[in-house]
Amino acid sequence: MASRLASRLLLRRRPTAIISILRSCSHVRHFSTQLLEGVHRYSKPTRGRNLLSNALPYQLWSRSFASENGDLVEAVVPFMGESVTDGTIANFLKKPGDRVEADEPIAQIETDKVTIDVASPEAGVIEKFIASEGDTVTPGTKVAVISKSAIPNEAHVSPPEETSQKEAPPPPPAEKDKVEEKSPKVEPVKKQEPKLTTPPLKSSPSEPQLPPKERERRVPMPRLRKRIANRLKDSQNTFAMLTTFNEVDMTNMMKLRSDYKDKFVEKHGVKLGLMSCFVKAAVSALQNQPVVNAVIDGDDIIYRDYIDISVAVGTSKGLVVPVIRDTDRMNFADIEKGINNLAKKANSGALSIDEMAGGTFTISNGGVYGSLISTPIINPPQSSILGMHSIVQRPMVVDGKIVARPMMYLALTYDHRLVDGREAVLFLRRIKDVVEDPRRLLLDI
């Protein structure tokens, strides 16, 4: 009946009457949309636009639920990066009832590469968390509901009142338990005797017993650790890895640091460390042996005319490898500042995906943990990695005499499909020469 009446009105070009009829008939939603499209087609242009923008029923039906005064807002998972599709909620930084400010982190999401914060969109009080720790979430997933007008004190005071009311009823059963405990006290000996006789039977066998399962702990592997494990295994399966070693006398480099460390800090505001010295030495070696800075891509070899060195940093959540860009254009101070900045971000979990992508060569310093010698694994898709180790006083023959010198072992792991032994040895030899005599960097010899 409504459809016939609306059709007649449509022929008379009376759209206002059509809207009133369609609003009163909630069972003809699909037909109303078609008629309104017809109204837009047959009525005047300006009038048709007003009708569609102000009175379309399907626009009202598609609105998401919200409070009448807009008091509640939702915190959602932000964009994680082009190569990251999902993550795991590692922990919540706040609790329901806590006061949060705008853009204040309330939760941390662990991805394959970095840790991302979920920030509060508005200032207010956390009403509840929609997700739980350990849940896998994607960008746009709702994490928490925040009330802009709630008072933190009320939110904190209300739970204890509810818990006290809930804990009030249990006392009667507790009294019953006391009454029940009083009655069996008459026969304590009969119940305790069998318990005393059972332990000797368990301890009597002389066979070795395995540790009980109660002393084992099973926890899920973090996403970052999974990513590290997959990349290391892929590296072993892809590259034809070979490692060559050499040793470096650190006497001159350590003397250089001790002579100019105070003036260096006074001028540049950072300390002169060993890592910047080895980065400059690696830059010189990569310029002399460009194939070590290259990479295999299918049937092609890509030679890079830039040098972005990745520095391995160990954190509580795993090993991360941030990148120092354009190290061939940096001096010692710039490199030290870049390393310090990236190390602070790595320890606080503030590294971005862009800061860990695109390196051409990696340096890993296992000597800070006391490692004497090791064979580092290539960081894909790079073709080589330099391993530094601890400095140890060892007897060395110098000018025919045995003297104690601070020595360090160096290890270069490279992809033997691309880099031959000659280039690898010359590369490592160049680093040895530059570190043992830093004047070579100044004279470029």
Side-chain angles (χ1 to χ4, degrees), residues 75-356:
V76 299
V77 178
F79 176 69
M80 303 180 189
E82 295 181 358
S83 60
V84 181
T85 58
D86 59 4
T88 302
I89 298 180
N91 61 324
F92 290 104
L93 305 177
K94 299 289 183 178
K95 298 181 295 183
D98 288 350
R99 172 76 183 180
V100 293
E101 301 298 331
D103 298 329
E104 182 179 358
I106 61 176
Q108 288 184 334
I109 298 178
E110 191 177 69
T111 67
D112 298 339
K113 299 181 178 180
V114 294
T115 300
I116 298 174
D117 292 333
V118 178
S120 173
E122 300 285 346
V125 176
I126 298 177
E127 291 265 328
K128 62 179 179 178
F129 287 116
I130 301 177
S132 304
E133 291 186 1
D135 291 353
T136 300
V137 294
T138 57
T141 303
K142 300 175 183 178
V143 175
V145 176
I146 299 170
S147 175
K148 295 187 290 186
S149 62
I151 302 175
N153 293 334
E154 295 179 357
H156 285 293
V157 173
S158 57
E161 294 178 354
E162 295 178 358
T163 53
S164 60
Q165 294 177 357
K166 293 180 181 179
E167 293 176 357
E175 295 178 355
K176 293 181 181 180
D177 295 339
K178 292 181 180 179
V179 177
E180 292 176 0
E181 289 176 359
K182 292 179 180 179
S183 58
K185 284 183 180 178
V186 183
E187 302 175 352
V189 181
K190 294 181 180 179
K191 293 185 177 181
Q192 292 178 356
E193 285 180 355
K195 293 182 180 179
L196 294 175
T197 55
T198 51
L201 295 176
K202 294 182 179 179
S203 60
S204 59
S206 59
E207 299 177 0
Q209 296 182 359
L210 297 176
K213 293 183 178 180
E214 288 76 9
R215 297 175 61 183
E216 298 177 354
R217 293 185 297 112
R218 183 183 295 270
V219 296
M221 182 181 291
R223 296 177 66 93
L224 181 58
R225 176 56 58 185
K226 288 181 182 179
R227 178 65 174 173
I228 294 173
N230 293 334
R231 285 178 62 84
L232 293 178
K233 191 58 183 175
D234 291 342
S235 178
Q236 286 185 329
N237 296 337
T238 303
F239 301 126
M241 287 190 290
L242 185 62
T243 305
T244 183
F245 302 91
N246 212 322
E247 58 182 359
V248 181
D249 188 348
M250 300 294 296
T251 302
N252 293 331
M253 183 62 70
M254 295 177 69
K255 185 177 185 304
L256 177 68
R257 289 182 60 201
S258 62
D259 291 344
Y260 296 100
K261 61 180 181 180
D262 296 334
K263 294 182 179 179
F264 191 86
V265 173
E266 182 181 351
K267 181 176 182 179
H268 301 290
V270 292
K271 294 182 179 180
L272 177 61
L274 287 178
M275 184 59 71
S276 61
C277 301
F278 277 91
V279 169
K280 291 294 292 184
V283 168
S284 177
L286 290 171
Q287 290 173 341
N288 290 346
Q289 303 295 331
V291 69
V292 182
N293 198 45
V295 65
I296 296 177
D297 184 18
D299 295 332
D300 301 327
I301 299 176
I302 300 177
Y303 288 90
R304 275 82 68 96
D305 296 331
Y306 58 93
I307 300 176
D308 295 343
I309 293 185
S310 305
V311 179
V313 179
T315 65
S316 58
K317 295 183 179 180
L319 184 69
V320 294
V321 193
V323 182
I324 306 175
R325 311 286 180 185
D326 297 324
T327 53
D328 52 328
R329 302 178 181 177
M330 292 183 174
N331 55 25
F332 284 85
D334 294 335
I335 295 174
E336 288 292 346
K337 292 177 182 179
I339 293 174
N340 292 340
N341 184 32
L342 293 175
K344 291 178 182 179
K345 288 186 176 182
N347 292 323
S348 61
L351 282 174
S352 64
I353 296 176
D354 294 336
E355 290 173 325
M356 293 192 296

Side-chain angles (χ1 to χ4, degrees), residues 354-366:
D354 294 336
E355 290 173 325
M356 293 192 296
T360 62
F361 182 78
T362 298
I363 298 179
S364 176
N365 186 8

